Amino acid sequence: MGLAPVSDDVLADGLKRIAAEIDEAFDALLPVPLDARAKLVEAMRYAVIGGGKRVRPLLLASTAEMYGVDREAAIRAGAAIESIHAYSLIHDDLPCMDDDALRHGKPTVHKAFDEATAVLAGDALHAFAFEVLADPAISSDPFVRIELVRALGHASGFQGMAGGQMMDLVAEGEEFDLQTITRLQQLKTGALLGAAVEMGAILGHVPAEGRTHLRGYARDIGLAFQIVDDLLDHEGDEEAAGKALRKDAAAGKETFVSLLGAERARDQARMLVHQAIEHLSQHGREADLLRSIARYIVERDH
Amino acid sequence: MGLAPVSDDVLADGLKRIAAEIDEAFDALLPVPLDARAKLVEAMRYAVIGGGKRVRPLLLASTAEMYGVDREAAIRAGAAIESIHAYSLIHDDLPCMDDDALRHGKPTVHKAFDEATAVLAGDALHAFAFEVLADPAISSDPFVRIELVRALGHASGFQGMAGGQMMDLVAEGEEFDLQTITRLQQLKTGALLGAAVEMGAILGHVPAEGRTHLRGYARDIGLAFQIVDDLLDHEGDEEAAGKALRKDAAAGKETFVSLLGAERARDQARMLVHQAIEHLSQHGREADLLRSIARYIVERDH
């Protein structure tokens, strides 16, 4: 790469900054109404404010920054993609899905409120994401806004995240091979991480043909992210994770760790991160944060 | 109005035509993938093909036709709004919500498949709606597309349908007055019916200030629609409805019928339909289908 390694401080600062900005954006965009809808918005706020690593908004804003995008616009788009991520977690945690009681170290939405409110809060956050992207405040250019909607809609629908979640449901008791697990994870987690980078580039007016290397970067870190998730699920600490672990093994689901073994899985994740950074070789220091994020993905402990 | 009454045949033909076109659009837009996502897309297709009155697509396409919009574009937008309607029914029917076993005369999605698949199929239809609207096939003008997304996102989110559903959940055991019930229904049902008309006008490049009379029309038929729904729930036939009835009374929820009595509720619905048709006075025969829809809303038996 020929560039000096980025200090961890850059990433730590980036994560801290984006967390505060995203919280602020949600607080401003989701005022609690003074009527019977209050409970719904309170559940939405409970799910999106003050929790999560904000990896998707960070990826989006870091990519946007490379292309000189206005920070306010990047944060709004970051809030939109984080809304989609949050709605998918709320629905994933429901008793009929993964039946989880803990998320980000606090009770899941259906535990803190009730199941019906959790279903609705997820649905409302889903619509909210597209409302935010369609608002002229994000860009005066309607083409930029509709491209953001397209990227996020495609990444979260049946051809992306929701499709991956379905494959994951079916995975229980099935003997999926490495290729199928890779495909499943590319859809379930990778599609939205890829959309984060894509959306940053769309805000930066980068034409589709100029985003190929960014797609390569996103695909590699997406897969590395999931392999590390499997490793953390296998050997991580429940308290640091803020959620229940070792559920895949209990459910008899194949993972990268069950298929490759922990050591080869870790090697694979490192290789992917190296490859992801290689995709950024045409960029100088302006891509340092994306490089740091790639490294953070394999080094994180939760 | 000074115009001869429209024959019922016009409406019957309109309903039949749109039903076939919407089924065709879903069939083409939702091919079943040859992998583990198949079950998800099968559940989506089960929910959207061959059922429902298609009132929202009909409203959208009838408005679009007044302004000379390409039929293919109107059908695509109609499929998008019907997807939102369908996802809300799937989630509404879940055991933790209304716990319904029957919809459009066949088992609800969670009965025909399972609860987890129903949650995901609803989510996937939700994203699908925005994907369809963002696709250039609907309009080469990105401003038209983003305005469609805005209208649908706003109508279905916490400030629209989802907000109304929350009020409806809270309504159980609360003594809501007529004003609150009206507000609840304007959000729960009216917002999406209004969006149907609005989206037809957006496709027709009608500027926001030229849509005031259409908004008035939509508001009035939306409220009339819900009053008639309450009347049908009160005295209708379960077989014709294809779903369970008299659930509001059982749950102790206030409705237009419980608050006004059946006779005054019926008068109110007729008055609203009359008023809705008055809003169309600036239009000639090209608005006949919208007039027929308004009349159909009070005259339907399911």
Side-chain angles (χ1 to χ4, degrees):
Chain A
M1 293 165 287
L3 291 164
V6 184
S7 111
D8 270 358
D9 290 354
V10 174
L11 179 70
D13 286 353
L15 279 166
K16 217 167 135 181
R17 184 178 171 209
I18 197 93
E21 288 169 315
I22 290 289
D23 275 355
E24 232 174 89
F26 280 128
D27 185 47
L29 293 167
L30 291 172
V32 180
L34 296 169
D35 60 27
R37 292 171 299 167
K39 191 179 173 188
L40 176 65
V41 181
E42 276 159 12
M44 293 167 79
R45 292 173 63 93
Y46 178 85
V48 294
I49 296 178
K53 295 182 291 285
R54 311 300 194 192
V55 169
R56 289 153 199 82
L58 181 65
L59 275 170
L60 193 158
S62 306
T63 308
E65 203 164 293
M66 290 205 310
Y67 299 103
V69 173
D70 168 60
R71 184 79 181 175
E72 165 84 14
I75 295 302
R76 278 178 177 259
I81 198 166
E82 194 70 1
S83 290
I84 293 288
H85 177 56
Y87 109 68
S88 79
L89 296 179
I90 297 174
H91 285 182
D92 244 7
D93 288 338
L94 286 169
C96 70
M97 302 275 284
D98 284 355
D99 195 14
D100 274 307
L102 212 60
R103 170 70 67 183
H104 302 147
K106 63 184 187 179
T108 46
V109 175
H110 67 274
K111 289 285 179 187
F113 294 81
D114 53 70
E115 276 184 58
T117 303
V119 171
L120 276 181
D123 291 342
L125 282 171
H126 195 166
F128 175 72
F130 292 106
E131 271 193 89
V132 168
L133 295 183
D135 194 298
I138 220 165
S139 166
S140 57
D141 183 348
F143 184 72
V144 164
R145 285 184 274 149
I146 200 68
E147 284 298 295
L148 292 172
V149 168
R150 256 185 115 177
L152 192 56
H154 186 81
S156 61
F158 72 98
Q159 297 175 90
M161 184 182 72
Q165 286 173 305
M166 188 73 230
M167 289 181 78
D168 199 35
L169 277 180
V170 174
E172 221 161 288
E174 290 270 335
E175 299 227 337
F176 279 177
D177 59 12
L178 190 60
Q179 199 189 339
T180 310
I181 289 289
T182 303
R183 176 84 181 124
L184 184 165
Q185 298 299 356
Q186 270 169 345
L187 295 171
K188 192 180 165 215
T189 322
L192 209 56
L193 292 167
V197 174
E198 193 94 17
M199 289 166 75
I202 290 169
L203 279 172
H205 292 90
V206 183
E209 58 275 16
R211 297 178 214 148
T212 313
H213 68 296
L214 293 173
R215 286 209 195 100
Y217 164 85
R219 195 174 48 240
D220 290 337
I221 65 161
L223 210 49
F225 188 87
Q226 190 55 47
I227 294 174
V228 173
D229 246 23
D230 285 354
L231 281 162
L232 290 171
D233 187 73
H234 179 68
E235 52 204 32
D237 178 66
E238 296 211 350
E239 204 169 325
K243 62 180 179 185
L245 296 178
R246 278 164 284 279
K247 297 187 61 169
D248 285 340
K253 279 188 203 171
E254 299 291 1
T255 68
F256 288 113
V257 176
S258 73
L259 288 166
L260 292 171
E263 202 171 332
R264 274 182 64 206
R266 202 179 318 276
D267 286 348
Q268 181 73 11
R270 287 202 188 105
M271 189 276 290
L272 283 163
V273 165
H274 180 77
Q275 197 172 289
I277 293 171
E278 288 288 308
H279 280 298
L280 303 173
S281 60
Q282 66 182 258
H283 295 287
R285 301 237 62 131
E286 76 276 13
D288 275 357
L289 201 45
L290 287 184
R291 295 187 186 99
S292 290
I293 296 168
R295 280 187 213 104
Y296 163 71
I297 276 170
V298 278
E299 286 157 17
R300 73 201 163 98
D301 62 357
H302 68 281
Chain B
M1 292 166 285
L3 291 167
V6 184
S7 111
D8 270 358
D9 291 352
V10 174
L11 179 71
D13 286 352
L15 279 165
K16 216 167 132 182
R17 184 179 170 209
I18 197 92
E21 288 169 316
I22 290 289
D23 275 355
E24 232 174 273
F26 280 128
D27 186 47
L29 292 167
L30 291 171
V32 180
L34 296 168
D35 60 26
R37 293 171 299 167
K39 192 179 174 186
L40 176 66
V41 181
E42 276 158 12
M44 294 167 79
R45 292 173 63 93
Y46 178 85
V48 295
I49 296 178
K53 294 182 290 288
R54 311 300 194 190
V55 169
R56 291 152 197 82
L58 181 65
L59 276 170
L60 193 158
S62 306
T63 309
E65 203 164 294
M66 291 205 310
Y67 298 104
V69 173
D70 168 60
R71 184 79 181 176
E72 166 84 15
I75 295 302
R76 278 178 177 260
I81 199 167
E82 193 70 2
S83 289
I84 293 288
H85 178 55
Y87 109 67
S88 79
L89 297 180
I90 298 174
H91 286 183
D92 244 8
D93 289 338
L94 286 169
C96 70
M97 303 275 284
D98 285 355
D99 195 12
D100 275 307
L102 212 61
R103 170 72 65 184
H104 303 146
K106 61 183 189 180
T108 46
V109 176
H110 68 274
K111 289 284 180 188
F113 294 82
D114 52 70
E115 276 185 57
T117 302
V119 170
L120 276 181
D123 291 342
L125 282 171
H126 194 166
F128 175 71
F130 293 106
E131 270 192 272
V132 168
L133 296 182
D135 194 298
I138 221 164
S139 166
S140 57
D141 183 347
F143 184 71
V144 165
R145 285 184 274 149
I146 201 67
E147 285 298 294
L148 292 172
V149 168
R150 255 184 116 178
L152 192 57
H154 187 81
S156 62
F158 72 99
Q159 296 176 90
M161 185 182 74
Q165 285 173 304
M166 188 74 230
M167 289 180 79
D168 199 36
L169 277 180
V170 174
E172 220 161 290
E174 292 268 335
E175 298 226 338
F176 279 176
D177 59 11
L178 191 60
Q179 198 188 339
T180 310
I181 289 289
T182 302
R183 175 86 181 123
L184 183 165
Q185 297 299 355
Q186 270 170 346
L187 294 171
K188 193 181 164 215
T189 322
L192 209 56
L193 291 168
V197 174
E198 193 94 17
M199 289 165 75
I202 290 169
L203 279 173
H205 292 90
V206 183
E209 58 276 17
R211 299 179 213 147
T212 314
H213 67 297
L214 294 173
R215 286 210 194 98
Y217 164 84
R219 196 175 47 242
D220 291 337
I221 64 161
L223 211 47
F225 188 87
Q226 190 56 45
I227 294 174
V228 173
D229 246 22
D230 285 355
L231 282 162
L232 289 172
D233 187 73
H234 180 67
E235 52 203 33
D237 179 65
E238 297 212 347
E239 205 170 323
K243 62 180 178 183
L245 297 177
R246 278 164 282 281
K247 297 188 63 169
D248 285 341
K253 280 188 202 172
E254 299 290 3
T255 69
F256 289 111
V257 176
S258 73
L259 288 166
L260 293 170
E263 203 171 332
R264 275 182 62 208
R266 201 181 316 277
D267 285 348
Q268 181 74 11
R270 285 202 189 105
M271 188 277 288
L272 284 164
V273 165
H274 180 76
Q275 196 172 291
I277 292 171
E278 289 288 308
H279 279 299
L280 302 174
S281 59
Q282 66 181 258
H283 295 285
R285 300 236 64 129
E286 76 276 13
D288 275 357
L289 201 45
L290 288 184
R291 295 187 185 98
S292 290
I293 296 169
R295 282 187 213 103
Y296 163 71
I297 276 170
V298 279
E299 286 158 16
R300 71 199 162 101
D301 62 357
H302 69 281

